[in-house]
Amino acid sequence: MNANDFAGRVRGREKLVGYWVTLDSPAAAERIGRLGYDYVVLDAQHGLIGYQGLMTGLLAIDAGAAIGPRPSVGLVRVEANDPTPIGRALDAGATGVIVPLVDSADDVARAVRAAKYPPVGVRSFGPMRASLRIGPVPADSNDATVVLAMIETPFGLQNVAEICATPGLDGVYVGPSDLSLALGARFPGDPEVNGPFEEAVELIARTAREAGVAAGIHTFDGESAKKRLAQGYTFATVASDLSHLEAIAAAHLETARSE
């Protein structure tokens, strides 16, 4: 699956499953990339990954995808809605970007402009590694580059219809931890906001469907991802490498010490 194929699947609202990477470990990213996930996200906002790690992580995902049963593409959650991190992630070879803390249609328009070359946007031309995979013709890159906006703030939820209707946006992506805090949770996963949280999750999926854009969400395990896809989400990301590493290590320790 090349970048054009992935962009078409996102825009066609096909059901996709991805994985989340927070650790700067190319060998681990390569192994994840060969498992058959549709996409693998490198987290440059909260993950433990610098720019060099971002580039080698994307290289590793491509290497793993080349020998896996179902090719994965690399996405990046950028650190901010700014042309510099967006452009650098794409130059490093990301097929698309997930943009955090989107509050409005204006925020989306800024993200789209940052991710696209003129005359559509303002991205500076210097694709470096990306030219080996997307382009190097700017119009081809514009067609193949996916832009996803995170819905995770009070204003983002309030303005979700306008956000979904913004030209150039391929989809929205729910950040459940921040969204729950935006709804008054004391901590992510606070059961006291389960009702409002589920209402918000349903609203976002419905609004995206009505606007004809993709709807994605971060989940904490495969069962949760399956539930959200059945609910109407078109792509779902599973957990993260760090959380899985800790959970598996804890489980083995408990087993080893059990009577």
Side-chain angles (χ1 to χ4, degrees):
M1 178 172 59
N2 61 31
N4 283 300
D5 294 335
F6 182 76
R9 295 178 71 193
V10 171
R11 293 165 190 159
R13 292 177 51 83
E14 292 186 30
K15 296 294 176 74
L16 306 172
V17 180
Y19 194 79
W20 198 264
V21 168
T22 64
L23 297 175
D24 185 355
S25 175
E30 183 179 26
R31 285 178 174 265
I32 297 297
R34 69 188 291 271
L35 293 178
Y37 284 96
D38 296 297
Y39 61 91
V40 179
V41 182
L42 300 179
D43 187 356
Q45 184 191 21
H46 293 304
L48 308 174
I49 306 172
Y51 184 72
Q52 184 66 34
L54 200 66
M55 187 183 66
T56 53
L58 289 167
L59 280 162
I61 293 166
D62 284 349
I67 58 174
R70 183 172 181 171
S72 299
V73 302
L75 304 179
V76 173
R77 181 179 49 187
V78 295
E79 61 193 80
N81 187 2
D82 181 89
T84 299
I86 290 174
R88 295 198 85 197
L90 295 174
D91 288 350
T95 298
V97 290
I98 299 174
V99 181
L101 302 172
V102 169
D103 286 336
S104 66
D106 285 344
D107 286 349
V108 177
R110 285 196 295 115
V112 171
R113 287 196 300 271
K116 308 288 183 174
Y117 292 116
V120 179
V122 298
R123 180 180 171 190
S124 176
F125 189 82
M128 300 302 169
R129 179 172 177 263
S131 64
L132 301 175
R133 304 176 60 257
I134 305 174
V137 178
D140 294 341
S141 179
N142 287 347
D143 289 342
T145 298
V146 171
V147 180
L148 305 169
M150 293 196 73
I151 305 297
E152 54 184 347
T153 69
F155 287 121
L157 183 59
Q158 176 182 318
N159 298 323
V160 65
E162 291 83 358
I163 287 170
C164 288
T166 306
L169 180 72
D170 296 301
V172 291
Y173 186 78
V174 176
S177 294
D178 280 317
L179 182 61
S180 67
L181 294 177
L183 292 168
R186 298 164 297 170
F187 49 84
D190 184 353
E192 290 189 6
V193 300
N194 277 353
F197 179 80
E198 289 300 324
E199 290 174 6
V201 165
E202 291 177 8
L203 171 66
I204 293 165
R206 182 172 66 251
T207 304
R209 181 178 66 250
E210 292 170 353
V213 297
I217 189 168
H218 193 92
T219 67
F220 299 102
D221 54 43
E223 279 298 319
S224 299
K226 182 177 180 180
K227 170 188 171 183
R228 297 305 185 189
L229 291 171
Q231 187 178 12
Y233 279 83
T234 59
F235 65 101
T237 312
V238 177
S240 74
D241 51 355
L242 184 58
S243 63
H244 275 163
L245 177 64
E246 182 180 12
I248 292 298
H252 283 299
L253 177 62
E254 182 179 2
T255 299
R257 286 181 171 168
S258 60
E259 295 296 332

